[in-house]
């Protein structure tokens, strides 16, 4: 039986660039790049999950953000429902809490980083559209 999870993901903006995070070596998909975020807990609102995940992963709290789009992606054993938010402003000092490597990317030039399959379409959309109007 296939599993299904719901996940929030943050496209965090700073000076026209967005934050990409490399998955840590000790977990699944190690070394692949992604947008920070994680699983929504049962009964948890998407916005609350976004705030919790960003605090746990990056030591920040989103202050000004908006829902951008949803997307479904099927992996071999799991269907993932993703909810992407643009984060325009946050409080706290951005510090990777799991030893992740981070980088700020120009939307038009994401470089050669290999993103998770669920995020590839998002990276391409950002490449085409550029930073959103905040």
């Amino acid at each position: 039986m296939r599993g299904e999870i719901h996940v929030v993901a943050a496209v965090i903006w700073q000076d026209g660039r967005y934050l990409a995070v490399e998955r840590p070596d000790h977990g699944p998909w190690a070394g692949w790049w992604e947008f920070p975020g994680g699983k929504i807990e049962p009964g948890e609102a998407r916005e609350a999950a976004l705030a919790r995940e960003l605090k746990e992963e990056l030591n920040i709290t989103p202050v000004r953000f908006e829902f951008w789009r949803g997307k479904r992606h099927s992996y071999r054993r799991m269907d993932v429902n993703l909810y992407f938010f643009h984060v325009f402003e946050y409080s706290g000092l951005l510090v990777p809490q799991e030893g992740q490597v981070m980088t700020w990317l120009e939307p038009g030039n994401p470089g050669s980083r290999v993103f998770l399959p669920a995020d590839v379409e998002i990276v391409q959309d950002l490449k085409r559209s550029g930073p959103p109007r905040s």
Side-chain angles (χ1 to χ4, degrees):
M1 179 174 186
R2 290 183 69 79
E4 180 178 68
I5 60 171
H6 295 266
V7 171
V8 290
V11 184
I12 302 171
W13 292 95
Q14 180 176 291
D15 300 325
R17 299 177 300 161
Y18 63 85
L19 185 68
V21 178
E22 188 177 29
R23 291 183 64 90
D25 290 335
H26 57 272
W29 294 89
W32 290 65
W33 290 81
E34 67 179 346
F35 297 96
K39 293 179 192 171
I40 301 171
E41 300 295 335
E44 187 177 36
R46 294 175 191 164
E47 294 80 3
L50 181 72
R52 177 182 52 75
E53 286 289 344
L54 292 182
K55 187 67 173 173
E56 289 174 4
E57 286 185 29
L58 301 174
N59 191 46
I60 62 171
T61 301
V63 173
R64 197 165 57 83
F65 59 94
E66 66 183 28
F67 176 72
W68 177 35
R69 62 179 282 193
K71 147 170 217 224
R72 184 177 178 93
H73 185 84
S74 294
Y75 287 97
R76 177 188 259 174
R77 295 185 179 99
M78 178 90 46
D79 291 325
V80 181
N81 295 290
L82 298 111
Y83 306 95
F84 289 89
F85 288 81
H86 285 300
V87 177
F88 303 108
E89 186 179 338
Y90 58 84
S91 64
L93 182 61
L94 187 64
V95 178
Q97 300 298 294
E98 301 170 0
Q100 315 93 305
V101 174
M102 304 182 307
T103 191
W104 294 97
L105 298 176
E106 302 269 342
N109 184 17
S112 60
R113 288 160 190 86
V114 179
F115 277 80
L116 290 176
D119 291 343
V120 169
E121 177 186 341
I122 300 302
V123 171
Q124 292 303 313
D125 284 353
L126 292 171
K127 188 174 180 178
R128 280 190 296 274
S129 66
R133 292 205 167 109
S134 52

